[in-house]
Amino acid sequence: MTAFPHSTTASATAIAVPPSLSLPVIEAAFPRQLHPYWPRLQEKTRTWLLEKRLMPADKIEEYADGLCYTDLMAGYYTAAPDDVLQAIADYSAWFFVWDDRHDRDIVHHRPVAWRRLRAWLHEALDSPEKHLHHQDALVAGFADSVLRLFSFLPRTWNERFARHFHRVIEAYDREFGNRTEGIVPTVEEYLALRRLTFAHWIWTDLLEPSAGLELPDAVRKNPAYRRAALLSQEFAAWYNDLCSLPKELAGDEVHNLGISLITHEGLNLEEAVAEMRRRIEECIAEFLDVEREALGFADALADGTVRGKELSAAVRACLGYMRNWFSSVYWFHHESGRYRVDSWDDRSTPPYVNNETAGEK
């Protein structure tokens, strides 16, 4: 299997993108990149999922490669050191598995199991070394991935990552409550919560070990840099919503931009899709504008000092990764089996999940 069937090589087979999901600007202005470590990355992440018991062996064998989780990360952090990319890819695969567990706990009405898992994840984030052999494989896998991520940059970066992820866990809890009670958030409420459930600032934090440098606050909080980072993640979250809308409507979901637009703005499905596309296209256009400003900021950091040169190079690398996020996310949604709802026996039950219904595990 090739990593990117839709590539610039003459022999590649183009993926057919449905017209409602097609974004010509992405295909034209955001060429795909791929980390050369990708084939090994795919193999090692598949092995890690098996060793950590995060997916049943038969589902790993049948679905892991086709889910394209490693393709997504290899297309994003394209110049990261191999060990950094491996740690990020394993963490990303864990995140997808966690998302599936969260979904199944909701579907099968397991609030006690969810609350217990939520508490364990908070604890594992604060002391991962104590949770490497936890009874719940999801917690043990999380502890392993967090410890590896914590090995690359100073303690200050680790503490920032942990603060951000504690907020992600709590956002997942709010989503659990909304879905359990059938509450569709307003558009503005949803957009704010989505920044947390999609983990915008976690993926932005991970730009730094990929670039080999912790950025000081003054750099990370530069308006152009921060806006570019936000837009890259907004695009990813909103495009995910657009592509997953059929799956989530089939599963009686309440957390999707399209569902909020339909419920609170009085739009029909066709109008909601058009509005989502409008927002996504505006997001892309604004990124292209702010990217130029952020690159100017990177150039200004090169003030003739060694530190200035180092910071300038790191910011340029991070901006390149932000740009990669657009193409990587776009093609991921058309290549990954995670979104091929029409091929599932049950449109509300992904075939790659452990769909146990029994008890409060």
Side-chain angles (χ1 to χ4, degrees):
M1 169 184 159
T2 58
F4 290 155
H6 187 101
S7 69
T8 55
T9 61
S11 61
T13 302
I15 296 295
V17 179
S20 63
L21 304 177
S22 176
L23 295 171
V25 65
I26 296 295
E27 299 178 29
F30 293 84
R32 299 186 79 176
Q33 308 285 334
L34 177 64
H35 198 293
Y37 181 65
W38 174 78
R40 183 73 173 135
L41 182 73
Q42 185 184 56
E43 176 187 339
K44 291 190 72 173
T45 294
R46 189 169 59 238
T47 299
W48 185 78
L49 287 168
L50 181 63
E51 289 177 348
K52 298 300 177 184
R53 298 178 292 113
L54 290 169
M55 290 175 67
D58 60 333
K59 292 192 182 294
I60 292 174
E61 177 67 25
E62 186 170 358
Y63 296 109
D65 288 357
L67 289 169
C68 299
Y69 296 160
T70 54
D71 303 47
L72 179 63
M73 293 297 110
Y76 186 14
Y77 305 101
T78 51
D82 291 356
D83 58 342
V84 173
L85 181 61
Q86 187 68 64
I88 292 174
D90 290 350
Y91 163 76
S92 173
W94 174 88
F95 202 116
F96 280 113
V97 174
W98 176 47
D99 187 73
D100 292 335
R101 169 82 75 85
H102 177 259
D103 177 71
R104 294 297 96 185
D105 280 349
I106 294 167
V107 168
H108 296 309
H109 310 292
R110 299 191 293 238
V112 173
W114 164 250
R115 287 195 295 270
R116 184 166 59 234
L117 176 61
R118 169 192 168 202
W120 282 340
L121 291 176
H122 279 303
E123 293 168 6
L125 188 54
D126 288 334
S127 55
E129 66 285 344
K130 296 179 181 178
H131 291 77
L132 291 172
H133 305 289
H134 196 276
Q135 66 193 66
D136 189 315
L138 196 72
V139 178
F142 178 60
D144 178 82
S145 65
V146 167
L147 266 182
R148 289 158 64 200
L149 292 174
F150 281 2
S151 69
F152 301 118
L153 292 178
R155 176 181 53 82
T156 45
W157 183 92
N158 297 347
E159 290 172 349
R160 173 168 28 110
F161 180 96
R163 284 196 307 273
H164 286 162
F165 203 83
H166 279 304
R167 295 182 69 199
V168 171
I169 296 168
E170 287 307 294
Y172 263 68
D173 187 57
R174 293 200 294 278
E175 179 177 335
F176 190 99
N178 284 345
R179 288 182 60 188
T180 299
E181 297 171 26
I183 297 170
V184 179
T186 67
V187 172
E188 291 309 312
E189 289 170 342
Y190 173 76
L191 292 177
L193 185 57
R194 185 62 162 144
R195 290 177 187 129
L196 295 171
T197 58
F198 197 83
H200 282 24
W201 300 115
I202 290 294
W203 301 117
T204 303
D205 289 337
L206 290 169
L207 296 170
E208 295 168 60
S210 300
L213 186 70
E214 181 184 20
L215 299 177
D217 282 356
V219 172
R220 289 189 302 106
K221 295 180 179 179
N222 171 268
Y225 179 88
R226 191 167 178 83
R227 185 64 182 164
L230 177 63
L231 288 166
S232 74
Q233 295 303 305
E234 297 279 57
F235 166 78
W238 300 349
Y239 193 69
N240 174 267
D241 279 2
L242 181 64
C243 293
S244 61
L245 186 56
K247 173 170 75 84
E248 295 181 345
L249 286 170
D252 294 323
E253 254 278 23
V254 298
H255 267 243
N256 184 291
L257 177 55
I259 294 172
S260 288
L261 287 166
I262 292 167
T263 303
H264 294 287
E265 303 295 328
L267 305 186
N268 61 34
L269 179 58
E270 183 179 349
E271 292 167 339
V273 168
E275 173 61 13
M276 293 170 78
R277 285 185 59 91
R278 184 191 68 78
R279 289 171 181 252
I280 289 166
E281 288 165 0
E282 284 188 354
C283 179
I284 298 167
E286 186 180 350
F287 175 83
L288 291 171
D289 286 340
V290 79
E291 180 187 37
R292 288 191 288 271
E293 186 179 344
L295 288 169
F297 169 65
D299 289 343
L301 290 170
D303 58 2
T305 65
V306 172
R307 175 63 169 169
K309 181 179 180 181
E310 181 181 56
L311 282 174
S312 177
V315 169
R316 278 193 160 271
C318 291
L319 290 168
Y321 297 147
M322 293 176 201
R323 164 174 271 275
N324 290 344
W325 198 232
F326 287 84
S327 58
S328 192
V329 163
Y330 181 75
W331 292 111
F332 168 71
H333 282 85
H334 304 298
E335 295 168 358
S336 173
R338 195 172 178 87
Y339 304 100
R340 293 181 190 148
V341 181
D342 291 339
S343 68
W344 301 353
D345 292 336
D346 176 355
R347 288 169 63 89
S348 66
T349 304
Y352 49 82
V353 301
N354 183 352
N355 193 41
E356 292 181 7
T357 59
E360 294 275 359
K361 287 184 61 181

